[in-house]
Amino acid sequence: MQEHPETTSSEKPEAPRHETGLAGTDAVDKNAALEQRILADPGRFRVMTGDRPTGRLHLGHYFGTLQNRARLQELGVESFVLVADYQVLTDRDVADNLPESVEGLVLDYLAVGIDPARTTIYAHSAVAALNQLMLPFLSLVTVAELGRNPTVKDEVAHSRQASVSGLMFTYPVHQAADILFCKANLVPVGQDQLPHLELTRTIARRFNARYAPETGIFPEPEALLSAAPLLLGTDGGKMSKSRGNAVALADDADQTARLIRGAKTDSIRHITYAPATRPEVSSLVLLAALCLGRDPREVADEIGTGGAGLLKRTVTEAVNEYLAPIRARRTAYAQEPGFVRSILKEGNERARAVAEETLDEVRRAMGTSY
Ligand code: ATP
Ligand code: MG
């Protein structure tokens, strides 16, 4: 599903304004232009994203990618969401409590408005043909390219294992298979995923050049970043479900208050929004602003001399109010026994059919259809 050439109509609908922590205006402009193309013709796009079932989804996921996924689904963009169960094993020996984590992940999806009737929700381990794509893809990248990946380096640094497994090292190639199995051309992700996306684009380009130079098989997918491409956790590092620094969507109001009260700030009393120089404070301001639907600078100005105490109270109230309906929906879905399983069963079947079709095309292109 390649994207068609762009039109240049001056009547394109307004893209949402982004007050991002993105480095450089080029990235901001590129993202805004992509938003315009999506709004102008959502039917040209196919979305694929996913999450590792390593714990409950958190505010970083929500404002980094989940909100965009739900919005794109509402715009009519065909969507796939992957429960990346094999990738749990990239940084640990055993995937503890996997069934519970998978169930929780799907409940989080449902709670934020991902609709299984319109979005295919499926798991790695259930889609053999997807995983098989990894073999030709591995042949298209060099060991040096894999070694240079900054996100892999960061994940290795936080890994629970003493040494790096082959699965960790080849994780971005697996992600290329995740994205390309359904020929997705749009991937709403957080900033940490950009190096992976670049590699997926490289793999798509090299595969096409080597095996299908006339027609091409794979699109070069684009990353779509949100207004919060890197939300920080309570310790000032990337909010992450495996690093104990996250406010989970499923936490209750009291837990949320406690976690935010303990969040790292800095020693300057006057609150400002300055992501480059005051990352922790600015991430909290941004979080409140996103929940309140307001400009982060305005929120910071209002708090001003109220200091970190008022900032944290503002964030807590805004987050709890914003998440209340999401939390209520999650609780309601959790009471429907068998519902999550039935969603996965159906999603896995749909994904298997798509993956088989792509693998057949790949076999024909590589001369391995016997
Ligand atoms: P883990 O610690 O187990 O790796 P994680 O919290 O990093 O978990 P992932 O499953 O690796 O979550 O990421 C899923 C998606 O959420 C990716 O698109 C990623 O970019 C996005 N994401 C995760 N954390 C953040 C964050 N703090 N800010 C913005 N986006 C995020
Ligand atoms: Mg991660």
Side-chain angles (χ1 to χ4, degrees), residues 17 27 29 69 73 86 92 100 116 120 143 149 212 219 223 234 243 252 260 262 269 318 322:
R17 282 233 351 106
D29 289 349
R69 296 182 203 176
Q73 172 196 273
Y86 277 145
R92 64 203 80 199
E100 291 81 2
T120 302
V143 169
N149 187 306
T234 51
R243 300 182 195 174
D252 65 27
I260 293 173
R269 177 160 180 90
Y322 190 91

Side-chain angles (χ1 to χ4, degrees), residues 50-52 54 58 60-61 64-65 189-190 192-193 228-231 238-242:
D51 310 276
R52 303 198 306 153
T54 44
H58 51 67
H61 292 113
T65 158
V189 281
D192 61 309
Q193 295 298 311
L230 182 61
L231 198 75
K238 171 187 171 288
M239 188 179 284
S240 187
K241 48 181 143 56
S242 315

Side-chain angles (χ1 to χ4, degrees), residues 149-151 154-155 189-196 225 229-230 238:
N149 187 306
T151 300
D154 183 55
E155 301 213 343
V189 281
Q191 194 163 284
D192 61 309
Q193 295 298 311
L194 293 183
H196 293 355
L225 293 168
L230 182 61
K238 171 187 171 288

Side-chain angles (χ1 to χ4, degrees), residues 51-62 66 97 100-109 239-252 255-256 258-259 327 330:
D51 310 276
R52 303 198 306 153
T54 44
R56 297 169 311 162
L57 294 182
H58 51 67
L59 288 166
H61 292 113
Y62 185 78
L66 292 172
N97 309 319
E100 291 81 2
S101 296
V102 170
E103 170 123 5
L105 197 60
V106 177
L107 287 174
D108 285 331
Y109 292 156
M239 188 179 284
S240 187
K241 48 181 143 56
S242 315
R243 300 182 195 174
N245 64 356
V247 176
L249 301 179
D251 280 335
D252 65 27
Q255 278 167 312
T256 302
R258 207 167 39 251
L259 288 163
R327 287 168 169 168
R330 194 184 192 281

Side-chain angles (χ1 to χ4, degrees), residues 24 54 94 101 151 156 169 174 188 236 252 284 292 297 304 323 333 347 353:
T54 44
V94 178
S101 296
T151 300
V156 166
F169 198 62
H174 200 186
D252 65 27
L284 285 169
L292 297 166
R297 276 177 196 86
L323 290 184
Y333 283 122

Side-chain angles (χ1 to χ4, degrees), residues 204-217:
R205 211 164 40 239
R206 288 182 188 161
F207 187 95
N208 290 342
R210 194 168 295 178
Y211 297 111
E214 309 269 295
T215 49
I217 288 184

Side-chain angles (χ1 to χ4, degrees), residues 66-87:
L66 292 172
Q67 197 183 35
N68 263 343
R69 296 182 203 176
R71 180 171 64 90
L72 292 165
Q73 172 196 273
E74 294 311 312
L75 283 173
V77 179
E78 191 181 1
S79 302
F80 290 76
V81 175
L82 166 70
V83 174
D85 53 0
Y86 277 145
Q87 283 168 6

